[in-house]
Amino acid sequence: MELSTDDARLGSGKMGYGCKHYRRRCMIRAPCCSQIFHCRHCHNESTKDSHAMCRFEVETVICAICGTEQRVAQACSNCGINMGEYFCEICKFYDDDIEKGQFHCNECGICRVGGRVNFFHCKKCGSCYSNSLLNKHSCVENSMRHHCSICYEYLFDSLKETTVLQCGHTMHSDCLNEMLKHEKYSCPICSKSIMDMSSIWKKLDEEIEATKMLENYRSRKVWILCNDCNDTTEVIYHFIGQKCSHCHSYNTRKTSAPVIPQ
């Protein structure tokens, strides 16, 4: 819905400006449909996926204090107010909540939050990660430039917190927590374990030790493929689970015996 300059003035005030996404003293005119919105997320939610707005193509903004429509800039050309204490000329991005620690990453090509000193850009993964993951994560090419495997929202510029799994794949932290609530401990993309499972494997060891198989099954063997180490081994079958002989993981599945070349 297009907003008038009167609507802009109603949104002004020390704590009553902007939208649920950002605090700012301006609105933007969408270059794709010429309608006025508080931010690109408001536009995309309003259009309901019929089309998305490109942040880089925004050319004009409307000051929320005086209602003046003007070229993109940090300060209003009419009343002089800063329309955003943080301003990025590249992303056409305004935000007054500078405690977020906004910064523009040239390699990502967009603005990030959390403070530049707290992040590094992984060129192979194609995204900024927390310094706590420096030399401690598995690189997956362009791992952030895909959709969350649970909710299917595009991760690269999502406003939600994202978690990097042990395997290097990524998903929303909320989606991961929901998955764990349902006792799902493997990556939906590659099936590798998403956390240290040693305590759970120990409990399975104890359960298998206490659960005897029927006589005619005790010597039965099966071939398994380990999802964690990708090794193929032949092991004693147990209905509770099959343990990888190489890495001792129970994150395995039955497979065919390997073909030996003649």
Side-chain angles (χ1 to χ4, degrees), residues 44 138 254:
N44 294 344
S138 299
K254 287 190 289 183

Side-chain angles (χ1 to χ4, degrees), residues 43-211:
H43 168 276
N44 294 344
E45 290 173 2
S46 175
T47 56
K48 297 180 179 178
D49 298 328
S50 64
H51 68 281
M53 193 196 82
C54 177
R55 74 189 84 188
F56 307 109
E57 294 177 358
V58 173
E59 295 182 349
T60 59
V61 296
I62 298 91
C63 176
I65 304 301
C66 67
T68 301
E69 185 163 354
Q70 58 202 277
R71 303 287 293 181
V72 170
Q74 183 170 21
C76 175
S77 59
N78 181 53
C79 67
I81 192 74
N82 265 358
M83 293 183 282
E85 292 305 313
Y86 175 83
F87 169 68
C88 176
E89 189 173 8
I90 298 172
C91 295
K92 315 298 192 294
F93 177 59
Y94 300 80
D95 197 354
D96 264 6
D97 192 3
I98 57 176
E99 292 183 0
K100 293 178 183 176
Q102 303 93 329
F103 66 96
H104 182 86
C105 174
N106 289 325
E107 292 178 284
C108 282
I110 60 174
C111 291
R112 298 292 191 189
V113 298
R116 187 184 300 275
V117 296
N118 299 316
F119 289 84
F120 71 98
H121 183 89
C122 177
K123 292 185 178 180
K124 184 172 182 179
C125 294
S127 186
C128 288
Y129 286 155
S130 168
N131 287 339
S132 62
L133 294 175
L134 184 61
N135 301 322
K136 296 178 182 177
H137 72 286
S138 299
C139 285
V140 174
E141 191 169 358
N142 293 324
S143 63
M144 288 288 288
R145 295 181 184 269
H146 67 84
H147 299 81
C148 175
S149 53
I150 302 299
C151 70
Y152 212 64
E153 180 184 350
Y154 192 58
L155 290 171
F156 185 69
D157 55 2
S158 173
L159 294 178
K160 299 176 184 176
E161 183 179 350
T162 302
T163 295
V164 183
L165 307 180
Q166 283 189 154
C167 57
H169 291 117
T170 52
M171 66 169 61
H172 288 131
S173 300
D174 288 344
C175 292
L176 173 61
N177 292 333
E178 190 64 27
M179 194 174 79
L180 294 176
K181 287 180 184 178
H182 290 83
E183 299 183 345
K184 303 295 183 183
Y185 302 113
S186 59
C187 172
I189 299 174
C190 67
S191 297
K192 292 185 182 296
S193 297
I194 61 176
M195 54 191 287
D196 181 5
M197 300 289 287
S198 55
S199 61
I200 296 176
W201 300 159
K202 184 178 180 181
K203 288 180 181 179
L204 286 175
D205 282 340
E206 295 170 353
E207 190 173 349
I208 287 175
E209 181 67 26
T211 308

